[in-house]
Amino acid sequence: MASCKDIALELTESLDRKLPIRYRLRVWLHVAICKECRNLKRQILFIRAAIHKIGLSPASESNIPASLRMSTQFRNRLKETMIRYEADPDIHDH
Amino acid sequence: MVISITQEEMNPSKWVDEHGDYLYRFALLRLRNPSKAEDVVQETMLAALSGRQSFTGQSKVRTWLTGILKHKIMDQFRSVHREHRLNGLFNDDDTIDDLYDSREHLIPPAQAWSGNPEKAFEQGEFQEQLRLCLKKLPKRQATIFALREMDGISSEEICKELTLTSTNYWVLLHRSRVALRRCFEIHWFGLK
Ligand SMILES: [Zn+2]
C-alpha cells in the first residue's frame, strides 16, 4: 500500500492533468482509504475555487483594504511621471 | 464596427484612477513586495503610453493594460528564477521529505474543515488573507502558485518559462499548495 508521501506528487499532478491510468489508480486506491489525503485534496481544490470565485473576480473596489491599494504618494508620482513621459518619451531611455 | 473604445477611455490621465488600484493589486498579489508592484505598474503605464497606437480597441482598456502587466511580472519571475539557479543547485525546498513524518503522513495531519468558509469572508478580506499567506511562502513556491492557481497557466508553460524540471516543479507546487491551505486553515478556520 502506497503511503501519503508516496502518492503526494501524483495527487498534486492529478489535480492539474490526467495521469496515466497506472498512477491514477494508485492515487485513487490510496485516497479511497485515507481520510487525510481526502481532506488535503478537498482543501487544495477549495482554495483554488475560492481564489477564482472571491479572490480574483472583479472586485467591488469599495471593500478592498488599504494594504491592497496603491498609496496616494505613488498615485501622484505615477501621474506626474506619465505626464513627463508623454511630454518627452526620451527621458526614460537613459 | 470593431472600435468600441471611446477616446475618453483611452485618455491616459484616467488610467491611473480607473485601473491603477486594480493593476497594483494584481501585481502585489503576485510579486508580494509593494515597491516591486509599484515598479511594474509604472513600467506598464509607460509601456502603454508608448504602445497606445498598437491598441486595437478589440479588448477593454483594463484587459489591455493587464496583458502588458502580466508580461512585466513574468519578466520579474524569470529573473528571480535565473538568480536562484545561479546561486546553487541545492535548496531546502527541493524535496517533500520534511513535510512528512517517519510514517510518511503529512505534518500536521490534514484535518477536516467545517462551516461555510466562503460566507465568512468578504472579498476584500479574502484577498488580503491571500496576500498574507502568499507572503509567507518561499519565493519560488509563491511564483509557481500564482502562475498555476491564480493565473491558470499550464504546468508545461510554467516549466518552460522558468526553466524548471518537471519533478522540481511538482515538488514546489505541492509544497506551495500544502502551505497555502495550512495558512488558510490557521487564519481562516482558526484551527491549530
Ligand atoms: Zn494519505
Side-chain angles (χ1 to χ4, degrees):
Chain A
M1 176 66 202
S3 71
C4 299
K5 189 182 166 195
D6 288 333
I7 60 112
L9 295 181
E10 288 154 18
L11 177 65
T12 261
E13 194 171 343
S14 74
L15 304 178
D16 287 57
R17 61 180 176 201
K18 203 163 183 182
L19 290 171
I21 181 74
R22 187 172 149 242
Y23 298 107
R24 224 184 313 153
L25 199 62
R26 197 162 98 114
V27 172
W28 186 85
L29 285 170
H30 176 94
V31 171
I33 58 151
C34 178
K35 192 153 191 301
E36 286 182 31
C37 286
R38 275 204 302 283
N39 287 339
L40 180 66
K41 180 181 171 181
R42 200 177 298 138
Q43 289 159 7
I44 291 171
L45 291 175
F46 173 80
I47 296 285
R48 176 189 286 177
I51 285 174
H52 286 274
K53 209 164 147 197
I54 41 181
L56 299 177
S57 53
S60 59
E61 303 280 340
S62 58
N63 62 17
I64 299 297
S67 51
L68 290 168
R69 293 172 188 276
M70 52 168 72
S71 67
T72 313
Q73 296 96 300
F74 174 62
R75 183 184 304 276
N76 294 336
R77 187 151 39 91
L78 179 58
K79 284 179 179 172
E80 279 166 30
T81 308
M82 287 172 71
I83 290 167
R84 268 188 285 129
Y85 185 82
E86 274 225 285
D88 181 10
D90 293 336
I91 52 171
H92 282 271
D93 286 352
H94 329 284
Chain B
M1 195 171 103
V2 180
I3 295 165
S4 57
I5 303 293
T6 63
Q7 270 191 318
E8 189 63 11
E9 283 175 273
M10 272 311 277
N11 180 353
S13 63
K14 300 233 160 189
W15 293 350
V16 177
D17 286 330
E18 282 172 17
H19 311 296
D21 274 331
Y22 175 83
L23 295 173
Y24 177 75
R25 193 165 74 239
F26 190 98
L28 184 66
L29 282 174
R30 286 157 182 80
L31 297 175
R32 309 184 299 159
N33 173 317
S35 75
K36 282 201 176 124
E38 290 180 353
D39 286 350
V40 288
V41 169
Q42 173 160 312
E43 283 176 34
T44 297
M45 290 296 189
L46 299 186
L49 284 175
S50 306
R52 220 175 337 165
Q53 276 70 28
S54 65
F55 181 67
T56 59
Q58 277 168 320
S59 59
K60 290 193 171 131
V61 172
R62 180 174 287 193
T63 312
W64 173 62
L65 292 171
T66 308
I68 300 173
L69 179 64
K70 279 182 182 169
H71 282 282
K72 304 276 175 205
I73 291 173
M74 190 53 107
D75 286 344
Q76 282 274 333
F77 284 163
R78 277 196 212 98
S79 72
V80 166
H81 280 252
R82 199 162 36 234
E83 239 172 73
H84 212 104
R85 274 199 312 285
L86 294 175
N87 285 343
L89 288 168
F90 300 104
N91 299 290
D92 51 8
D93 58 359
D94 270 348
T95 74
I96 56 170
D97 293 348
D98 58 310
L99 301 182
Y100 294 85
D101 65 18
S102 56
R103 285 160 47 250
E104 309 213 324
H105 284 274
L106 194 62
I107 321 168
Q111 47 196 324
W113 293 352
S114 56
N116 186 351
E118 282 179 64
K119 276 227 172 103
F121 246 145
E122 286 288 318
Q123 188 174 32
E125 286 176 330
F126 181 86
Q127 294 189 341
E128 175 63 0
Q129 189 57 60
L130 183 60
R131 182 182 75 83
L132 293 172
C133 287
L134 284 168
K135 210 170 147 184
K136 293 181 190 184
L137 289 182
K139 237 178 198 171
R140 295 189 307 164
Q141 290 179 39
T143 303
I144 287 169
F145 186 88
L147 291 172
R148 181 70 204 114
E149 299 288 35
M150 293 158 68
D151 296 340
I153 298 179
S154 77
S155 301
E156 290 79 10
E157 184 91 356
I158 297 170
C159 289
K160 209 179 87 199
E161 290 286 353
L162 305 178
T163 344
L164 283 166
T165 66
S166 129
T167 313
N168 207 196
Y169 167 79
W170 293 113
V171 165
L172 291 169
L173 181 64
H174 183 67
R175 294 191 72 106
S176 74
R177 283 171 167 170
V178 167
L180 235 288
R181 62 149 271 291
R182 176 66 183 147
C183 180
F184 271 90
E185 177 166 276
I186 296 168
H187 297 285
W188 195 350
F189 292 87
L191 296 176
K192 290 259 165 72

